[in-house]
Amino acid sequence: MYIVAIAWLYVVFMMSITERTPIAGLMTFLLYGVLPLSIILYLMDTPRRKRNRQTAQKLRTAAAAEIASDSPVVAADPGGNEPR
């Protein structure tokens, strides 16, 4: 995925250096390269972010269950004797 992004930025950079003015070159680079590429990479990375979020939620749930099961349970003395 990243090799295609690098290649696209290279092509857009070559387009931008052939513009007449530096401002036109900068706008070409930003509007043809950086902006569309950032949107595409964000959308293509969505499944990984979703998996990471689900994994983190599972780990938090497991940790909370472990903490709840490790807490000491104070049972009442069947003889009715209180500890001194």
Side-chain angles (χ1 to χ4, degrees), residues 29-67:
F29 187 73
L30 291 177
L31 295 177
Y32 283 117
V34 175
L35 182 66
L37 193 60
S38 64
I39 293 170
I40 295 296
L41 290 177
Y42 178 79
L43 291 176
M44 290 180 70
D45 200 35
T46 300
R48 184 188 60 82
R49 286 193 316 272
K50 184 177 178 182
R51 276 193 311 270
N52 289 346
R53 192 170 46 246
Q54 288 173 345
T55 303
Q57 180 63 34
K58 287 179 185 177
L59 290 174
R60 281 194 299 271
T61 304
E66 183 178 333
I67 289 172

Side-chain angles (χ1 to χ4, degrees), residues 65-82:
E66 183 178 333
I67 289 172
S69 68
D70 286 346
S71 63
V73 176
V74 177
D77 189 13
N81 297 329
E82 302 255 355

